[in-house]
Amino acid sequence: MPDRVTVLLAAGGEAWEAPALRLLNGGASLVLKRCVDLTDLLASAGTGEADVAVVSGELSGLDADAVVQLLRDDVRCVAVGGDQDALTRIGVVAAVAEPDLALLPDVVGSAGTRELVVDPEPEREPSFDRAGTRGRVVAVHGPAGAPGRTTLAIGLAAEHAHRGHGTVLVDADPHGGAVAQHLGVLDEVSGLLAAARLVNAGSLDAAAFARCRRQVSERFEVLTGLPRPDRWVEARPGVLDAVLERAAEVGDVIVDTGFSLEDDADLGRPVSRNQLTLDALATADHVVAVGTAEPTGLARLARTLVELREHTDAPVTVVVNRMRDSLGWGRRDIVGMVEGYIRPAGVHFLPEDRATVDKALVAGRSVVELGDSALRRAIAEVHARVLAGHAAQKPPISR
Ligand SMILES: Nc1ncnc2c1ncn2[C@@H]1O[C@H](COP(=O)(O)OP(=O)(O)OP(=O)(O)O)[C@@H](O)[C@H]1O
Ligand SMILES: [Mg+2]
């Protein structure tokens, strides 16, 4: 039975062990082994047969390192009892309070497979293939306040595909992916989690990666993002690097990232909450920094431009979104401000255009696919700066 979730149980002698065993052997899951302690659990996970570890929240030695070691063996950790906040911080996927034990089968079920199953479609031919050349990686980043990272990343990818280039859009926002929703990809499977799982298992080959992606249009494919913000922990360091390397084998790659560059891989966290964003920026050949044109947006953008210097050596193109005349400053003022912080590859402006973005959101399409608009023309200008004329062969990624 391929979709039975296999479980290792390490209850540390707690009284809930017997009822948990009964609940978890009920049908959708199967307990492979009762482990006597953490050492036993880690060794058992190493056999590669288990999907989920159900552990006592008080299990002796359970810490961030142990959780990451389990993830490397592709085993997600669900805790029963203990301090839920502290457990979530060390990377436990879900924590169930002891009185709620009846919820355990559901929690284990969703931790186990649902969002992680790759497309069962048999060996579909990739819709495009670069035949041995490597595509470019463009990371779209920007500060908090929803400046339009996703809208722009989708627009750039759609424009690039529209111009005849194989394009992979990777949703790497660690705070929860939105690309699938924007594009109407109604699929419960997370391409990114599926790919992460394959990386952990050492089996992300070209065919497996093709099954993780979804097709949007003829030359436009998407790797959908995290289904819930709390799954960020599975993007341990190295996962996105491997994914982007594969993606660049099949096309030029646009990466939608999160808003924060803070490296918070301490305070008991196994990896930084922003690991995906940091990895995307470190790998990118070109970074697009997007901010909004109003005062708070520009102040945040300025801080981002300063912070970016520490995270990438790639050229940075600045995009100021939602530009409108009523703000009282012009393009020249903003270009001057930007150049006070960095030497940009270019500074571009996207107009405030609620009607077009709303139409795109409702239709589940990119603004590019809707036909001509001021916003689309502005995105095409950014595309020309960042991606046009760059579809040439490049050497393999080196960091
Ligand atoms: N040029 C524009 N004119 C009007 N509305 C826009 C424009 N660009 C983006 N928006 C709207 O702003 C909102 C945020 O955009 P988007 O989701 O792309 O931002 P984000 O930076 O990815 O945000 P998040 O932090 O949620 O990931 C959306 O409702 C989007 O439709
Ligand atoms: Mg977004």
Side-chain angles (χ1 to χ4, degrees):
M1 276 284 295
D3 30 33
R4 257 193 174 191
V5 178
T6 47
V7 178
L8 296 169
L9 190 58
E14 302 280 344
W16 52 262
E17 180 168 11
L21 256 180
R22 277 195 298 279
L23 287 165
L24 292 174
N25 278 331
S29 56
L30 175 72
V31 177
L32 295 179
K33 185 175 175 191
R34 294 159 68 185
C35 304
V36 292
D37 57 16
L38 183 66
T39 312
D40 188 16
L41 173 67
L42 294 176
S44 306
T47 63
E49 282 161 21
D51 300 313
V52 174
V54 173
V55 303
S56 160
E58 316 270 1
L59 192 66
S60 173
L62 182 71
D63 60 9
D65 286 343
V67 172
V68 169
Q69 192 176 331
L70 287 168
L71 279 174
R72 287 215 173 90
D73 290 323
D74 198 24
V75 173
R76 275 147 297 278
C77 204
V78 169
V80 177
D83 176 344
Q84 299 209 355
D85 286 346
L87 289 164
T88 308
R89 263 203 310 279
I90 65 168
V92 166
V93 170
V96 177
E98 218 181 307
D100 299 331
L101 198 67
L103 301 176
L104 197 56
D106 281 350
V107 172
V108 165
S110 76
T113 49
R114 247 170 36 112
E115 294 140 347
L116 300 163
V117 181
V118 292
D119 188 350
E121 227 175 280
E123 301 307 308
R124 127 178 108 82
E125 287 293 314
S127 54
F128 44 84
D129 187 350
R130 294 186 66 85
T133 66
R134 181 189 167 254
R136 284 172 67 76
V137 176
V138 175
V140 179
H141 176 65
R149 293 181 307 270
T150 302
T151 304
L152 180 58
I154 290 173
L156 286 174
E159 187 68 37
H160 199 53
H162 181 76
R163 287 168 188 272
H165 305 287
T167 308
V168 182
L169 173 59
V170 175
D171 187 341
D173 186 341
H175 298 270
V179 166
Q181 209 179 354
H182 275 245
L183 289 174
V185 180
L186 301 173
D187 190 348
E188 291 196 11
V189 174
S190 159
L192 185 63
L193 283 183
R197 188 177 201 196
L198 290 162
V199 172
N200 285 334
S203 55
L204 187 72
D205 57 22
F209 185 53
R211 290 197 297 275
C212 297
R213 306 191 302 269
R214 292 292 176 270
Q215 189 154 13
V216 177
S217 62
E218 199 186 339
R219 293 187 181 80
F220 183 2
E221 294 192 349
V222 58
L223 190 73
T224 57
L226 299 185
R228 296 195 312 263
D230 59 355
R231 302 302 288 264
W232 59 272
V233 72
E234 291 177 43
R236 62 173 185 79
V239 162
L240 191 69
D241 295 1
V243 166
L244 293 181
E245 198 156 344
R246 277 282 171 227
E249 287 170 7
V250 283
D252 290 311
V253 185
I254 316 290
V255 195
D256 185 10
T257 70
F259 64 85
S260 175
L261 295 172
E262 187 191 358
D263 184 354
D264 54 3
D266 44 21
L267 311 165
R269 285 192 199 280
V271 295
S272 168
R273 167 91 207 235
N274 301 306
Q275 193 67 46
L276 285 168
T277 304
L278 299 173
D279 286 353
L281 291 170
T283 303
D285 301 303
H286 200 120
V287 173
V288 177
V290 56
T292 50
E294 77 281 345
T296 45
L298 288 177
R300 284 172 171 163
L301 177 62
R303 213 170 313 131
T304 291
L305 296 179
V306 173
E307 285 177 10
L308 268 178
R309 290 191 208 136
E310 283 174 36
H311 297 285
T312 179
D313 298 323
V316 177
T317 290
V318 176
V319 174
V320 178
N321 192 10
R322 313 191 74 157
M323 187 63 183
R324 53 228 190 244
D325 294 338
S326 53
L327 285 167
W329 42 70
R331 295 176 176 220
R332 288 245 299 272
D333 305 318
I334 294 177
V335 172
M337 180 219 74
V338 167
E339 288 176 347
Y341 293 101
I342 59 160
R343 202 176 299 201
V347 183
H348 294 264
F349 295 84
L350 306 184
E352 169 80 23
D353 191 351
R354 194 71 250 178
T356 300
V357 294
D358 282 349
K359 220 191 303 170
L361 284 173
V362 170
R365 314 183 64 177
S366 73
V367 297
V368 171
E369 291 163 292
L370 296 182
D372 187 48
S373 67
L375 183 56
R376 188 214 165 154
R377 269 175 268 136
I379 288 174
E381 280 176 29
V382 182
H383 171 267
R385 168 85 61 179
V386 175
L387 279 152
H390 284 299
Q393 178 160 357
K394 300 187 69 240
I397 292 177
S398 63
R399 298 228 6 221

